Amino acid sequence: EQTGAHVPEREEIPAEHKWHLEDIYKTEELWQEDFLKVKSLLTTVKQYQGKLSTSSQTLADCLQLNTTLAIISSKLFSFARMHRDENTANAKFQALTGQVESLLAEAGAATAFIEPEILTMADTLLQQYRKENQKLNEYAFYFENLARQKQHVLSPEEETILSLSSEATQAPETIFNMLAHADMKFPETLDDNGSTVQLSEGRYNTLIRSANRQVRQQAFQHLFGTYAQYRNTFAATLGGNIKKNIFYAKTRKYQSVLASALESDNVPIAVYDNLIQTVGDNLSPLHQYVALKKQVLNLDSIHMYDLYTPLIKNVSLRFSYKKATELIKHGLAPLGEEYLQILNKGLTSGWIDVYENKGKQTGAYSWGTYGVHPFVLLNYHGKYDDVSTLAHEMGHALHSYYSHHTQPYPTASYTIFSAEVASTTNEILLLHHMLNTTEDKDTRLYLINQHLEQVRATVYRQTMFAEFEKMLYTRAEEGESITADLLDQEWHALNRKYYGPDIVIDKEINVEWARIPHFYWSFYVYQYVTGYSAATTLAEKILQEGPPAQKKYINFLKSG
């Protein structure tokens, strides 16, 4: 386990706690070979331009070549980018990631003719081709989805230009990542032992939950004080990202960026608006929770840095990584023997990068590529939150595993809207197991508090993010400039609205918007809330109904 005051270098992490990216490519030479292969396939795919309506075989051959390109490109990108995430300051993998981003833009341009050409084919001809050629069967959903978005697909020439622009328009997110995760340095701060330690994003998540108010206050001030020094740069990157998304939405003839973001998943705008409205109409339980926290913690005034403090003071749950994996296996037993076998394979076969190291991408994610097992990035520190995060990310990983092993590539991916269901169901099942097997009263109260914290952080906090994002895009689409002052002001107002009259909105929190990477993935966060709501229902059914509900749930994971 990680101990000591310093954040270790990558080389100091034991091999058994690192993911095996060589499962994608054994050597960089093989990566380079595939890179050159894609280059040559791009020349081949262009030869189909203008010919897709000549025969069902031509159409099938072109789509299968496009699928091959997509699979290899995904392998190239995930290998380079995940290596870069091991240490975002690593110049070699920064360069490889940049190289493959250029290639992806080139591939997008080379294949941009395909969808407009299919959409110009008469429906009767496409139906005839689909009857004639069995190879087109696996593209049935692709054809239906394409027809649904027909009015937003441009001419081949325009699609080529948009694809070529993608590399340049990635700059705001890239700059954000470099500044927040590679260049920005946080000061030293106090830990629970009274020692001075180097503050990092990973350490902050531990220190902000400290029972020692001075420790959490200092960590809070140091973290957000550092972000505040760069607030104008962060406002420029976020503003640039918003302008990029407005450009693409307008070019594709969408009424707004929100409409564009939701259309790809076929989610009505009413879902987004109703979520904000419904949570906004039900803020009183959160206000009561803040007031309860102030009372239980015996505080004269409750500040933003008190929000993450557990209500139960004398419980400090720490779990070795090994213990975490055992708990998760027990917690997810209701999902069946097959699920547990795959889970165990993932936990023991180099799927997971466990510990924080210098320069490592913060947070956690599950990612992968078709034809290779999924991967999970963690920054494990031994808290119950970290155990829950591992369960969450393995939910994503097994969703991908099931889907990729059941579906052909054209239907193997799944929408983010359903992705967060699989991850959150795992978290809920884990918590249920913990409560069922814990007899100590204080520990049970601690775990119930963790559940309340999940509701606060997922249902309320992510809805606040969603409302903030909608406000930003509405203002930008009306021509208003996105400045650091505007962002600070709106973030402050939303914190006041959501957390209610009891809390002191510390000035440092005003810049918290600068820290949220999800704002670079437009209108993403609302799905955490919808996913949590669906997962709560599914977990209840699995626990109450047993095998019938379990079978339905596994079929959902396989459905792509």
Side-chain angles (χ1 to χ4, degrees):
E1 300 305 313
Q2 278 191 347
T3 55
H6 86 301
V7 178
E9 299 289 345
R10 180 77 186 164
E11 297 71 36
E12 295 176 67
I13 306 291
E16 67 267 24
H17 293 136
K18 295 179 186 174
W19 54 20
H20 298 170
L21 295 185
E22 60 270 25
D23 293 346
I24 308 177
Y25 289 107
K26 280 197 163 43
T27 64
E28 281 176 48
E29 288 71 29
L30 291 170
W31 186 92
Q32 292 291 353
E33 279 177 29
D34 260 1
F35 188 89
L36 295 173
K37 184 178 180 180
V38 169
K39 284 270 192 191
S40 101
L41 289 176
L42 293 183
T43 310
T44 310
V45 80
K46 287 176 188 171
Q47 293 167 8
Y48 286 94
Q49 189 159 357
K51 300 173 185 171
L52 297 189
S53 58
T54 57
S55 74
S56 62
Q57 190 59 47
T58 303
L59 177 60
D61 289 346
C62 181
L63 287 175
Q64 288 186 313
L65 177 56
N66 191 39
T67 293
T68 302
L69 273 168
I71 291 170
I72 301 174
S73 299
S74 171
K75 282 179 68 181
L76 289 169
F77 184 61
S78 57
F79 180 83
R81 178 61 188 262
M82 284 194 278
H83 265 305
R84 196 208 76 178
D85 287 350
E86 293 173 347
N87 179 2
T88 53
N90 185 315
K92 180 171 81 170
F93 288 109
Q94 282 179 21
L96 282 191
T97 302
Q99 242 182 292
V100 76
E101 281 173 348
S102 299
L103 184 68
L104 292 175
E106 205 181 317
T111 57
F113 70 90
I114 295 173
E115 294 189 353
E117 264 193 52
I118 292 171
L119 288 171
T120 59
M121 292 168 66
D123 286 346
T124 49
L125 181 63
L126 189 55
Q127 293 302 331
Q128 180 194 323
Y129 281 179
R130 288 173 66 178
K131 283 177 188 167
E132 274 177 26
N133 198 317
Q134 294 297 303
K135 287 180 182 175
L136 292 173
N137 286 348
E138 65 184 43
Y139 295 97
F141 180 80
Y142 170 76
F143 291 134
E144 288 157 24
N145 211 35
L146 189 55
R148 183 175 61 77
Q149 299 179 73
K150 184 172 186 174
Q151 61 181 313
H152 305 297
V153 177
L154 309 179
S155 71
E157 294 77 18
E158 289 166 325
E159 290 289 346
T160 301
I161 292 167
L162 285 189
S163 293
L164 287 170
S165 73
S166 65
E167 187 186 359
T169 57
Q170 274 298 103
E173 186 185 353
T174 305
I175 295 165
F176 165 80
N177 276 317
M178 287 297 113
L179 179 57
H181 304 138
D183 291 343
M184 217 161 71
K185 297 289 181 280
F186 298 106
E188 292 187 334
T189 195
L190 281 177
D191 71 3
D192 279 335
N193 302 318
S195 306
T196 302
V197 295
Q198 179 72 49
L199 184 62
S200 67
E201 282 280 2
R203 285 223 166 102
Y204 175 77
N205 288 329
T206 300
L207 297 173
I208 197 64
R209 290 167 172 80
S210 171
N212 183 328
R213 201 177 193 200
Q214 187 189 356
V215 167
R216 59 183 189 259
Q217 180 181 359
Q218 194 178 100
F220 175 84
Q221 289 170 342
H222 283 160
L223 185 95
F224 290 113
T226 306
Y227 273 98
Q229 292 171 32
Y230 303 94
R231 60 194 280 277
N232 291 308
T233 305
F234 281 118
T237 60
L238 186 53
N241 197 65
I242 290 166
K243 284 176 185 170
K244 169 196 86 171
N245 290 325
I246 291 172
F247 163 73
Y248 284 125
K250 279 185 175 174
T251 308
R252 292 198 176 280
K253 307 183 182 78
Y254 285 101
Q255 287 186 321
S256 64
V257 177
L258 178 60
S260 166
L262 269 55
E263 172 76 9
S264 58
D265 287 352
N266 202 11
V267 174
I269 289 177
V271 171
Y272 196 95
D273 291 342
N274 287 344
L275 172 69
I276 293 172
Q277 182 70 46
T278 305
V279 174
D281 288 344
N282 291 278
L283 291 173
S284 58
L286 179 58
H287 297 173
Q288 288 165 20
Y289 180 56
V290 171
L292 174 69
K293 190 161 260 197
K294 178 183 173 186
Q295 181 189 339
V296 173
L297 295 175
N298 196 24
L299 301 172
D300 291 335
S301 59
I302 183 165
H303 287 253
M304 298 305 293
Y305 50 80
D306 299 317
L307 267 179
Y308 290 86
T309 317
L311 291 176
I312 312 305
K313 290 181 183 176
N314 55 344
V315 175
S316 176
L317 296 183
R318 306 295 296 179
F319 304 91
S320 69
Y321 181 68
K322 186 182 178 188
K323 179 64 175 172
T325 62
E326 288 167 6
L327 286 172
I328 287 165
K329 284 189 268 191
H330 288 300
L332 302 184
L335 295 176
E337 193 54 44
E338 182 190 69
Y339 191 97
L340 287 182
Q341 282 173 5
I342 301 165
L343 175 70
N344 193 53
K345 188 178 177 183
L347 293 169
T348 56
S349 308
W351 291 20
I352 306 168
D353 205 76
V354 180
Y355 294 115
E356 182 181 18
N357 59 252
K358 276 186 187 165
K360 186 174 175 181
Q361 175 71 33
T362 58
Y365 65 63
S366 169
W367 194 13
T369 182
Y370 194 78
V372 184
H373 63 75
F375 292 89
V376 166
L377 177 137
L378 296 176
N379 283 277
Y380 190 85
H381 282 270
K383 307 183 304 295
Y384 177 75
D385 267 4
D386 295 315
V387 184
S388 193
T389 297
L390 175 57
H392 178 106
E393 297 305 338
M394 290 307 286
H396 286 310
L398 265 77
H399 192 179
S400 295
Y401 184 94
Y402 270 116
S403 188
H404 289 187
H405 279 75
T406 312
Q407 301 287 333
Y409 180 80
T411 49
S413 61
Y414 46 81
T415 65
I416 303 297
F417 192 79
S418 60
E420 292 306 331
V421 176
S423 53
T424 312
T425 298
N426 277 14
E427 287 190 75
I428 293 166
L429 290 172
L430 172 67
L431 184 67
H432 179 267
H433 167 73
M434 294 294 291
L435 285 168
N436 262 8
T437 55
T438 303
E439 291 179 4
D440 179 69
K441 182 187 170 187
D442 282 349
T443 306
R444 285 180 61 77
L445 286 171
Y446 177 90
L447 290 166
I448 291 165
N449 184 205
Q450 287 293 120
H451 184 49
L452 293 173
E453 278 295 298
Q454 267 189 349
V455 174
R456 179 186 72 76
T458 305
V459 177
Y460 286 109
R461 183 169 158 82
Q462 299 296 336
T463 304
M464 185 179 92
F465 287 6
E467 187 171 347
F468 180 72
E469 214 173 348
K470 189 179 180 196
M471 175 281 301
L472 280 187
Y473 277 93
T474 301
R475 293 212 178 185
E477 284 165 342
E478 288 169 355
E480 197 169 335
S481 290
I482 302 302
T483 64
D485 286 348
L486 170 72
L487 292 161
D488 284 2
Q489 172 192 318
E490 292 297 334
W491 194 256
H492 182 99
L494 279 173
N495 274 279
R496 165 59 61 222
K497 172 184 168 180
Y498 275 75
Y499 290 110
D502 277 288
I503 200 154
V504 176
I505 310 293
D506 303 276
K507 68 178 187 337
E508 288 89 353
I509 204 68
N510 294 350
V511 78
E512 188 185 24
W513 55 266
R515 185 180 174 231
I516 314 298
H518 301 75
F519 292 150
Y520 292 84
W521 319 330
S522 58
F523 297 105
Y524 179 100
V525 293
Y526 82 98
Q527 296 160 120
Y528 286 121
V529 194
T530 54
Y532 191 90
S533 308
T536 303
T537 304
L538 286 170
E540 280 175 10
K541 284 186 179 295
I542 290 162
L543 291 166
Q544 288 166 10
E545 297 173 18
Q550 176 201 105
K551 188 179 177 185
K552 284 181 191 171
Y553 181 72
I554 300 298
N555 284 338
F556 157 68
L557 298 183
K558 291 177 176 178
S559 63

